[in-house]
């Protein structure tokens, strides 16, 4: 992967994380609440929201289910 | 993760793969073409389309860019 492609993806992961945090807060959930509902570690939520985790698609499905949104809403940013 | 959650995610990965294949074919691309454009291995595309790969979010961004669609379109299924 080129340096540019990597840089682009870093920016997108940050935007993804910011969007995840926005949806979580709209739902009135803490990071701990979401971690529990999605059955993932608290650190997963924290690192995701800070754009520091390239999580798998399955976790996307778990997060969407926990937030009661469609998976595609996690990519509306 | 519960057995049910796992089963649900397997179904979603298969639906994700079917949707990816639909978009790829609409764009008139072969699996090799998409692999080259997204800078991933051919086996990644093949396994994804068969619902057998829990790929990372970065690869979602690379695939969307290669297919000239928004990342959320890869989750419209």
């Amino acid at each position: 992967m080129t340096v540019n492609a990597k840089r682009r993806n870093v920016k997108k992961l940050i935007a993804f994380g910011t969007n995840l945090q926005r949806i979580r807060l709209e739902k009135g959930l803490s990071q701990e609440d979401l971690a529990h509902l999605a059955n993932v570690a608290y650190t997963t939520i924290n690192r995701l929201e800070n754009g520091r985790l390239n999580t798998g698609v399955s976790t996307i499905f778990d997060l969407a289910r926990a937030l009661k949104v469609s998976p595609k809403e996690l990519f509306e940013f």
Side-chain angles (χ1 to χ4, degrees), chain A residues 31-67:
Chain A
Q31 287 187 339
E32 290 81 359
D33 295 333
L34 179 54
H36 176 70
L37 289 167
N39 199 21
V40 298
Y42 161 77
T43 51
T44 297
I45 305 297
N46 187 272
R47 290 173 63 213
L48 267 173
E49 290 190 356
N50 291 296
R52 286 186 291 113
L53 182 65
N54 180 26
T55 197
V57 175
S58 280
T59 302
I60 300 295
F61 297 143
D62 295 332
L63 291 169
R65 194 175 307 116
L67 290 164

Side-chain angles (χ1 to χ4, degrees), chain A residues 9-35:
Chain A
N9 279 355
V10 165
K11 279 186 190 164
K12 290 223 174 210
L13 283 175
I14 290 169
F16 176 87
T18 306
N19 188 54
L20 176 64
Q21 184 181 51
R22 177 185 61 80
I23 296 171
R24 174 176 63 78
L25 293 174
E26 271 174 19
K27 302 285 181 173
L29 297 172
S30 67
Q31 287 187 339
E32 290 81 359
D33 295 333
L34 179 54

